[in-house]
Amino acid sequence: MKGNRQVVRRSRWGRNRVSVGLHVIWTTVQRRPLVTSELERAIYRSISGEAEKLGCHVLAINGMPDHVHVVLYLSVTTSISNLMKQMKGASSSLARSLAGPDQFFQWADGYAVFSLSRAHRHNAIQYVERQKEHHMERTTRAAWEQSTEDDLPT
């Protein structure tokens, strides 16, 4: 079925079938607009590359100057915390090296992860792919734009 990738691994107990879809969001430090148009493509490639190295499959990635959204299938051998550490760490290092010593770049500490049922994955992919349009048209989904408790309205 198109768009429904399942990870199957052999183990000593037999074959495992895993299909865990996730929608992940994280922000720049203090929600500063650090993901510039010059850096955006390289940052997204780095994030996708790190996820793929860990056996995950990225279905969509996009964002705004102050945050990133990723929809992916989680690997059977990777924890969410390790996935986030790798994606954020590698992309932050790359962004700092590309931006140069005069420019500041840093992701905020937290992140949000939502599990996605098979029925909701398509909507999440479309939402992520249309990030810039949603923000321009003010049709964002509040729950999917808050990455940590600090982002919640007071």
Side-chain angles (χ1 to χ4, degrees):
M1 178 178 266
K2 186 178 178 184
N4 185 23
R5 179 179 167 155
Q6 296 174 358
V7 179
V8 179
R9 297 264 196 260
R10 283 202 183 274
S11 71
R12 66 181 189 187
W13 299 284
R15 293 173 64 94
N16 301 314
R17 180 174 172 240
V18 178
S19 179
V20 178
L22 301 176
H23 181 180
V24 182
I25 303 106
W26 69 92
T27 67
T28 58
V29 69
Q30 298 172 341
R31 281 213 175 239
R32 292 168 62 180
L34 303 175
V35 182
T36 63
S37 57
E38 296 83 17
L39 295 176
E40 183 180 60
R41 188 171 176 178
I43 288 172
Y44 294 169
R45 264 196 314 252
S46 173
I47 292 167
S48 293
E50 289 302 310
E52 296 285 338
K53 280 183 198 174
L54 293 171
C56 300
H57 179 67
V58 175
L59 302 172
I61 183 167
N62 205 348
M64 295 298 291
D66 66 347
H67 68 279
V68 173
H69 291 258
V70 182
V71 176
L72 55 78
Y73 283 106
L74 186 64
S75 164
V76 68
T77 59
T78 302
S79 69
I80 291 171
S81 61
N82 190 47
L83 171 67
M84 295 307 300
K85 178 181 174 186
Q86 290 299 116
M87 290 192 306
K88 288 175 72 176
S91 61
S92 182
S93 293
L94 175 69
R96 281 194 298 275
S97 70
L98 292 175
D102 304 356
Q103 299 294 326
F104 174 80
F105 189 93
Q106 184 178 340
W107 295 122
D109 288 338
Y111 56 84
V113 179
F114 300 95
S115 62
L116 296 170
S117 69
R118 187 177 285 169
H120 290 101
R121 288 180 196 158
H122 179 71
N123 289 339
I125 291 167
Q126 284 189 321
Y127 183 78
V128 170
E129 288 175 345
R130 297 188 63 225
Q131 259 300 281
K132 290 168 182 59
E133 293 170 52
H134 284 297
H135 281 271
M136 262 192 332
E137 298 168 1
R138 301 188 193 282
T139 57
T140 58
R141 295 183 185 178
W144 283 357
E145 294 298 326
Q146 299 162 345
S147 66
T148 66
E149 269 186 16
D150 297 335
D151 285 339
L152 295 173
T154 53

